[in-house]
Amino acid sequence: MLSVPGHVHWAHLEDGTAVLDLHTGQWHLFTGAGARIWDAITQHGDVEGLSEQLAIPAGHDPATDRDADRDAVATYVRRLQTMGLLTPADPPARTRRWWRR
């Protein structure tokens, strides 16, 4: 699972998604597949099944280009992580129950 760190803010635009990194002061504009990848992560925390959804409109055959499409999405996500725009999500904190001491 992935999450957006607190220093990163974003907004949906008519043609994509604008992302501001407050640590660097840089703006990023994601359009097309990049915006769809960002949306999948911010809404679901992962990109499971997204490569197949992106392949068809791009004219790729999901049966033959599956590995290449998955690699392309994974590479894009790693780049976002390298840029500091995404981080691994913290697991939910375990709470100690009163009956387990």
Side-chain angles (χ1 to χ4, degrees):
M1 296 284 294
L2 297 167
S3 66
V4 180
H7 68 274
V8 176
H9 298 271
W10 76 94
H12 294 284
L13 305 173
E14 185 176 321
D15 295 330
T17 302
V19 178
L20 172 62
D21 183 346
L22 294 177
H23 282 176
T24 63
Q26 289 186 327
W27 282 95
H28 305 275
L29 179 61
F30 302 138
T31 59
R36 293 208 40 207
I37 292 169
W38 182 265
D39 289 343
I41 292 168
T42 58
Q43 293 172 11
H44 307 291
D46 63 28
V47 290
E48 186 67 33
L50 185 63
S51 61
E52 289 81 7
Q53 294 174 18
L54 294 173
I56 295 169
H60 297 178
D61 180 5
T64 59
D65 298 328
R66 181 177 312 155
D67 292 336
D69 292 334
R70 284 185 186 158
D71 289 345
V73 170
T75 299
Y76 189 80
V77 170
R78 279 193 303 276
R79 175 130 170 88
L80 294 176
Q81 288 179 293
T82 301
M83 294 167 63
L85 301 178
L86 293 175
T87 59
D90 293 328
R94 293 184 63 178
T95 57
R96 179 162 240 177
R97 305 290 183 204
W98 62 270
W99 61 85
R100 291 184 187 167
R101 292 187 179 205

